Amino acid sequence: MNKKISHCKREYDCLELVKKLISPSNPISSYLALAKPNHDVSKFPDFIFDEGFIEHFQVTSAKETKSGDEHRIAEVEFDRDSKAEFEREKQEFLSSKPHPRTLTTRVLEAVFFLAENFLKKF
């Protein structure tokens, strides 16, 4: 799905959600019911009706660049780095030798003890 169609679908879905959430007794609901998508998806406004229009826009206090807002970029980078670090730690743990008297070896010892005693009964 190309970006324009995806963007329009999100705007349409947002409008439909607002229509469902707003009370029918609210005067704005009649305008929402009349709103039709702009046929030229790249032009202002997003939706048109006889008495006006609706334009969706994102309000953010974050500093934005051509790549997006800095907070979101940092968040994505943090997630990527965290996943990579977790994978490194996981591989290190899985490839390491068990150390006596640690939680892992105690759990394994308990499992083996229970299994051994269970099998002795048969």
Side-chain angles (χ1 to χ4, degrees), residues 32-98:
L32 295 176
L34 297 171
K36 302 289 181 226
N38 188 341
H39 295 295
D40 191 343
V41 296
S42 62
K43 298 286 184 186
F44 174 86
D46 297 325
F47 298 92
I48 303 168
F49 50 96
D50 288 341
E51 289 86 17
F53 61 87
I54 299 171
E55 173 66 24
H56 286 109
F57 58 93
Q58 183 176 346
V59 176
T60 179
S61 61
K63 184 176 179 184
E64 290 215 28
T65 65
K66 289 182 180 178
S67 303
D69 74 72
E70 289 180 352
H71 174 73
R72 188 163 298 175
I73 293 168
E75 208 172 43
V76 167
E77 188 176 310
F78 175 79
D79 286 346
R80 184 188 62 237
D81 293 348
S82 296
K83 285 177 184 176
E85 178 64 23
F86 177 79
E87 274 305 311
R88 279 192 297 276
E89 294 286 336
K90 182 176 107 176
Q91 291 307 317
E92 183 181 325
F93 173 77
L94 292 174
S95 63
S96 66
K97 294 180 181 177

Side-chain angles (χ1 to χ4, degrees), residues 11-29:
E11 290 174 343
Y12 180 80
D13 290 345
C14 179
L15 180 63
E16 290 302 308
L17 178 63
V18 171
K19 285 180 184 180
K20 288 178 186 175
L21 296 175
I22 198 163
S23 168
S25 63
N26 188 320
I28 293 173
S29 67

